[in-house]
Amino acid sequence: MQKGMRVLIIDDEPQIRKLLKVALGAHGYDIDESATGVDGISRAATFKPDILIIDLGLPDIDGKDVVKAIREWSQTPIIVLTARDQEQEKIDALDVGADDYVTKPFSVGELMARMRVSLRRAASSEHEPVITCGDLVVDLVQRRVTAAGREVKLTPTEYELIKILAQHRGRVLTHKQLLKAVWGTAYNEDTHYIRVYIGQLRRKIEDNPTQPRHIITESGVGYRLMDH
C-alpha cells in the first residue's frame, strides 16, 4: 500500500484513536482524528482522507448519519467500527454507504486487511470489462464466467448475482443491497431468494460448496466475494 495514504479516524474513545494512530502511523499512513461526528464531517472535507474509519457509537450524532453526510459529496472508502451487539446498526451503515465493517474488539491486522481491500477497489476502475478473483473470472462484456479455466453455465439471475458480487469484490454486500440490485426494490425482505441462488452458485463455482473459498457468508449481514 502506498505510503502517505491519509486516514481520518472518527471515534470518541481516546485509547482506540491512540492505538490506530500509532499502528497505522508505523505503516506510513498520515493520520488525522476526531472525537465527534460533526467535527469528523468537517475534517473529512478539509483533510481529504483516502479512507475513513468511523465508530458507529459517537457521542453527538449517530455514526450512520456521519456516513450518510459524507456520502452526499464523497465516495472515499469508509470502514465502520461496531460493537458485537450492533448487528442491525452494522447492516444499516452498509446500506447507507459504508464499504465494510470491523467488529470491536478487533485486531489491527484485520482492520488493515479490510483497508487494503477498500483502497484497492477505490483505485481500480468500477467498469473493468473482466474481473478476476483467484481462479474465478467474470467477463462482463461476454457475460461469461469461468472457474479454474472451465466455463460455468449460469441462469440470467445467477449471472446478475455473481456480477454484482464481482463488481464489489472483497466488500460485504447486505441482503438488501443484493436484493435491490438483482431483483429490484419490491423484493427487499425476500432473503430466501438470495440463499437459494447463492447455494446454486456455490455448487457451480466452488470446489467444495460446503466450504466455499469464493462466496463467503457474513453471518446475519450478507455475502462477500473474496478478492484473492
Side-chain angles (χ1 to χ4, degrees), residues 67-220:
V67 174
K68 211 184 294 185
I70 290 170
R71 275 289 168 261
E72 285 180 12
W73 48 269
S74 171
Q75 288 306 307
T76 301
I78 295 174
I79 296 176
V80 294
L81 304 179
T82 73
R84 206 164 283 287
D85 59 355
Q86 288 180 309
E87 189 157 282
Q88 190 56 49
E89 295 276 290
K90 179 194 299 178
I91 293 167
D92 292 344
L94 292 165
D95 283 340
V96 297
D99 292 84
D100 212 337
Y101 67 89
V102 175
T103 305
K104 292 178 175 180
F106 60 88
S107 74
V108 172
E110 179 193 7
L111 175 62
M112 289 184 65
R114 297 285 165 89
M115 288 170 63
R116 280 194 295 273
V117 169
S118 294
L119 286 164
R120 195 159 62 231
R121 274 198 66 254
S124 67
S125 166
E126 290 287 314
H127 306 290
E128 293 169 89
V130 179
I131 298 167
T132 303
C133 304
D135 62 10
L136 182 71
V137 180
V138 181
D139 185 326
L140 301 178
V141 177
Q142 313 236 8
R143 294 177 66 87
R144 185 169 175 263
V145 176
T146 58
R150 117 193 110 72
E151 185 162 359
V152 182
K153 296 291 183 196
L154 298 177
T155 67
T157 302
E158 288 168 351
Y159 174 78
E160 288 304 316
L161 188 53
I162 196 71
K163 180 177 92 170
I164 193 77
L165 285 165
Q167 287 173 323
H168 297 86
R169 63 199 178 282
R171 173 180 171 181
V172 60
L173 291 174
T174 66
H175 296 120
K176 187 188 281 188
Q177 287 171 328
L178 289 169
L179 281 165
K180 186 178 175 186
V182 179
W183 286 275
T185 48
Y187 293 85
N188 251 353
E189 305 303 321
D190 297 313
T191 55
H192 65 279
Y193 279 128
I194 298 177
R195 279 196 299 277
V196 168
Y197 279 94
I198 290 287
Q200 290 171 196
L201 272 176
R202 281 174 170 159
R203 284 193 290 277
K204 292 182 178 184
I205 69 171
E206 301 281 5
D207 294 333
N208 181 355
T210 61
Q211 293 182 303
R213 288 186 311 112
H214 293 300
I215 302 174
I216 304 301
T217 301
E218 294 281 347
S219 185

Side-chain angles (χ1 to χ4, degrees), residues 25-46:
H27 284 84
Y29 287 105
D30 183 9
I31 313 295
D32 195 8
E33 57 182 288
S34 177
T36 67
V38 171
D39 180 61
I41 293 167
S42 170
R43 283 178 190 258
T46 54

Side-chain angles (χ1 to χ4, degrees), residues 10-24:
I10 305 175
D11 195 308
D12 64 321
E13 293 183 58
Q15 62 271 37
I16 295 258
R17 295 201 308 274
K18 185 178 179 183
L19 165 74
L20 293 178
K21 200 166 184 179
V22 170
L24 299 177

